[in-house]
Amino acid sequence: MARLLVVDDKDSIRVVLETQLARLGHAVELAGDVDSAVRALSASDFDVVITDLKLGRGTGLDVVREAKKVRPATEVVVMTAYATDESQLQAMRFGAYGYIAKSPDLTAEVVEFVARALEKRESARREKSLAEDNQILREQLEGRVRFEQMVGRSSAMHGVFELVDKVAGARTTVLITGESGTGKELVARAVHGKSPRTEAPFVPVNCGAIPEGLIESELFGHVKGAFTGAAGDKEGLFQAAQGGTLFLDEIGELPVALQVKLLRAIQERHIRPVGATEDVEVDVRIVAATNRDLAAEVRAGRFREDLYYRLNVVQIRVPPLRERREDILLLADHFLRRFRAEHDRPPLSLSREARRRLDEYGFPGNVRELENLIERAVALSSGDEVTLDALPAPLRGSLALATDGPLPPGFSLEAHLANVERELIDRALSETRGVKKDAAAKLGLTFRQFRHRVKKLAGEPEPGSDEGEDGDDPAT
């Protein structure tokens, strides 16, 4: 189990300690004085040294000093029948791990101290290894892995990074497309952060989260008396983003009647607050995002063609996680460090099996799903590793409950059914290489039903109805 050096000028004590420690599986070397101990320390690397304080011409303090000089990681335990406060202080000052007063229970105490010293040494080794890993990771992140707040080493993400770099400095309108949970807002923030507008506001707004009757006032503002309840003038989000970037998320949800006014605002750089008679000049860069196929929405008459072309000057497609599989474990480690710090947990790593399952999983909910399950795993883990038990059922590969025993404590039928549904959807997506229309058919669902279930499982807020879901591209 470990290499130990026992230093004592009494043969009987050396033999007793050697016998007991060897029974525990340790490799034990013996020394009867300071000189032989120094020679042993120079020749071999010991995990723990157990030394008597009184050693004839020298003392155990000389052994402590020499051990820490040649092998700083070695732990030293000092034994003595003549303990004084001063000798204890000196031993600790020289770096000794512990101090044992010789007694009839000496052997048992030495065994206990050795076990504790080895535990401390192993803990220090793990922390050093983790620190080295983190340093390597930091160096990677400063290079080709981190871009603004995004993490990725895949070629698909580097294509996104390069496009952001090219377009950030221009005034050009940008349309960001991609499935829910892929990180479209992070891309929008990167465009803003690398632009000359970085010191001005970045104002995000979810077009699908504001009631249709209020969205015009939210975007353009209103004047006092414009409608019932308008007790005073109010600036809209365009004015709040003056000089900066207005991020219009879920732009496909914008009512058709308001699309005309948005087009005018983008083209003329003027807005008219609700109830006002004069325009207000605005200097705002528009970045929009959608998980819908806007070209299909145009063909269906649900989105204006002129606005579509005005928004789609530069399009940045954010790939789903299944198209950037080499980023899964990198992102998992990134979220693990973040949530470990937020929950004030000691160093935590993913077990080999947990990493394997994460690497194999399809992630229909994309990066958002990965982030949520890592936060869950940190909350449920008690040791220094995230094991398979801390991951959701779909990653554990378990569709069914055991039927030969009672329900487990805290069992939730809703949670179990959600896990079963998630695993089946993921399995269908994997079997159809991510083609949603085919996955829906495999599960006996319409495409609209399939999209509704995926959004629900990903924790995405649902609008009042799922009208328009079939506007998503079933082939991706």
Side-chain angles (χ1 to χ4, degrees):
M1 292 176 65
R3 284 186 55 78
L4 309 179
L5 175 64
V6 175
V7 186
D8 200 294
D9 56 358
K10 293 183 175 58
D11 291 342
S12 59
I13 291 179
R14 293 201 305 271
V15 170
V16 168
L17 291 178
E18 178 189 23
T19 302
Q20 184 60 39
L21 293 168
R23 281 178 185 169
L24 297 173
H26 300 301
V28 184
E29 193 168 328
L30 304 177
D33 53 41
V34 172
D35 290 341
S36 56
V38 169
R39 286 195 296 273
L41 286 166
S42 299
S44 302
D45 187 7
F46 295 97
D47 297 295
V48 182
V49 174
I50 305 103
T51 180
D52 190 16
L53 183 62
K54 300 292 185 180
L55 292 172
R57 287 181 299 173
T59 73
L61 297 179
D62 298 319
V63 177
V64 176
R65 239 188 328 250
E66 186 65 21
K68 288 298 181 180
K69 176 182 173 183
V70 299
R71 311 285 182 190
T74 298
E75 301 295 348
V76 186
V77 178
V78 178
M79 307 177 294
T80 182
Y82 312 98
T84 66
D85 290 342
E86 181 58 30
S87 63
Q88 290 186 44
L89 284 173
Q90 279 188 296
M92 297 304 179
R93 192 177 298 125
F94 291 152
Y97 170 71
Y99 201 97
I100 302 174
K102 287 186 175 179
S103 70
D105 295 325
L106 174 63
T107 303
E109 286 195 51
V110 168
V111 168
E112 182 183 348
F113 260 83
V114 167
R116 283 159 50 189
L118 288 173
E119 185 179 340
K120 179 191 173 193
R121 181 180 167 91
E122 177 60 19
S123 177
R125 185 197 64 77
R126 284 198 306 267
E127 288 183 10
K128 180 183 177 184
S129 176
L130 184 62
E132 290 172 351
D133 289 346
N134 285 341
Q135 178 59 32
I136 291 170
L137 188 58
R138 278 193 295 272
E139 290 171 2
Q140 290 176 328
L141 293 178
E142 289 167 3
R144 295 280 294 167
V145 176
R146 184 180 288 278
F147 182 88
E148 294 293 302
Q149 296 300 310
M150 294 179 285
V151 173
R153 62 162 63 96
S154 63
S155 58
M157 283 307 294
H158 280 296
V160 172
F161 299 164
E162 290 170 7
L163 198 49
V164 169
D165 257 336
K166 290 177 181 177
V167 77
R171 190 189 179 95
T172 309
T173 302
V174 177
L175 178 64
I176 304 170
T177 62
E179 296 177 9
S180 295
T182 51
K184 295 188 289 294
E185 183 169 340
L186 286 180
V187 176
R189 289 184 180 275
V191 170
H192 174 75
K194 295 183 75 65
S195 76
R197 298 171 178 263
T198 185
E199 298 300 324
F202 174 88
V203 179
V205 54
N206 188 323
C207 297
I210 303 174
E212 185 171 342
L214 296 178
I215 191 166
E216 182 178 1
S217 172
E218 287 296 311
L219 287 176
F220 305 124
H222 63 253
V223 297
K224 180 179 179 180
F227 49 82
T228 303
D233 294 352
K234 177 189 173 183
E235 287 191 344
L237 295 174
F238 265 87
Q239 289 160 294
Q242 184 71 10
T245 302
L246 180 62
F247 174 51
L248 300 174
D249 197 9
E250 301 302 344
I251 189 68
E253 304 287 343
L254 196 68
V256 174
L258 200 58
Q259 293 175 22
V260 181
K261 295 186 177 183
L262 176 60
L263 176 63
R264 179 177 179 272
I266 295 173
Q267 290 186 159
E268 300 183 13
R269 299 178 190 171
H270 285 82
I271 61 168
R272 179 169 295 185
V274 178
T277 56
E278 295 182 358
D279 289 349
V280 176
E281 186 176 353
V282 288
D283 174 21
V284 172
R285 183 185 195 169
I286 298 295
V287 177
T290 181
N291 62 4
R292 294 188 178 192
D293 181 348
L294 287 189
E297 293 291 288
V298 169
R299 291 192 296 271
R302 290 187 291 264
F303 202 85
R304 291 182 61 92
E305 186 175 22
D306 48 4
L307 177 59
Y308 169 64
Y309 288 120
R310 192 66 187 83
L311 292 172
N312 195 29
V313 177
V314 174
Q315 183 178 143
I316 301 176
R317 177 182 177 269
V318 187
L321 202 48
R322 63 180 174 276
E323 292 180 12
R324 43 182 293 215
R325 302 203 64 84
E326 56 266 58
D327 293 336
I328 290 174
L329 294 180
L330 184 71
L331 284 163
D333 288 333
H334 167 72
F335 292 134
L336 191 65
R337 288 191 303 275
R338 192 181 95 195
F339 290 122
R340 181 189 68 77
E342 288 181 9
H343 290 272
D344 196 24
R345 293 287 306 278
L348 195 61
S349 61
L350 291 163
S351 70
R352 180 176 298 180
E353 183 64 12
R355 295 179 77 84
R356 185 179 72 80
R357 294 296 179 90
L358 285 170
D359 196 35
E360 293 173 349
Y361 184 57
F363 289 101
N366 291 300
V367 179
R368 183 188 295 125
E369 182 186 7
L370 174 60
E371 181 181 15
N372 290 343
L373 73 84
I374 292 295
E375 182 174 18
R376 173 188 187 272
V378 170
L380 294 179
S381 298
S382 54
D384 59 1
E385 264 193 342
V386 172
T387 62
L388 205 56
D389 290 341
L391 299 179
L395 277 85
R396 298 198 301 270
S398 175
L399 275 174
L401 280 171
T403 57
D404 57 353
L407 292 173
F411 174 74
S412 165
L413 178 61
E414 290 294 329
H416 176 69
L417 292 177
N419 285 334
V420 171
E421 185 175 2
R422 187 188 299 274
E423 183 172 352
L424 288 171
I425 287 174
D426 176 53
R427 189 175 295 179
L429 282 168
S430 296
E431 291 175 5
T432 60
R433 298 182 179 273
V435 179
K436 298 172 193 170
K437 181 179 178 182
D438 294 345
K442 268 187 172 288
L443 295 169
L445 300 172
T446 66
F447 180 62
R448 179 178 296 185
Q449 290 170 330
F450 178 84
R451 285 292 296 161
H452 174 78
R453 288 172 185 270
V454 169
K455 285 193 173 187
K456 183 179 177 183
L457 289 171
E460 199 173 314
E462 288 288 325
S465 72
D466 62 356
E467 184 179 355
E469 285 295 319
D470 53 354
D472 291 305
D473 186 356
T476 58

